[in-house]
Amino acid sequence: MSRKSGKSGPKDKEVATYHERDIVLGKVRGFPPWPGMVVDPDSVPPAVQQERPGKKSNFYCVQFFPAGD
């Protein structure tokens, strides 16, 4: 059996940057992509602040929009 490389694109990935109030399409495991807005992490409730990832250098706090049913 031959082994194929899993990645065929360039090695230098362009990293997207976002600012507060940017509209984004976020993906959470088990749910379809959903629109939301990037918010200041210091303005969210304490329970949400505890979920902040510690090892990732780039992370964004996203407030998802309601379904509007």
Side-chain angles (χ1 to χ4, degrees):
M1 240 195 232
S2 66
R3 298 178 87 174
K4 293 184 179 180
S5 174
K7 302 201 181 220
S8 60
K11 290 188 178 188
D12 295 330
K13 280 190 172 183
E14 187 175 321
V15 177
T17 58
Y18 302 100
H19 303 286
E20 286 183 35
R21 301 184 56 112
D22 281 353
I23 305 299
V24 296
L25 191 63
K27 179 71 176 101
V28 177
R29 189 178 343 167
F31 294 91
W34 199 262
M37 182 171 53
V38 177
V39 296
D40 179 18
D42 296 327
S43 68
V44 298
V48 175
Q49 287 182 357
Q50 290 177 355
E51 297 295 324
R52 176 181 265 182
K55 296 179 181 179
K56 292 187 177 184
S57 59
N58 290 338
F59 72 93
Y60 298 96
C61 189
V62 175
Q63 181 177 5
F64 290 99
F65 296 133
D69 292 348

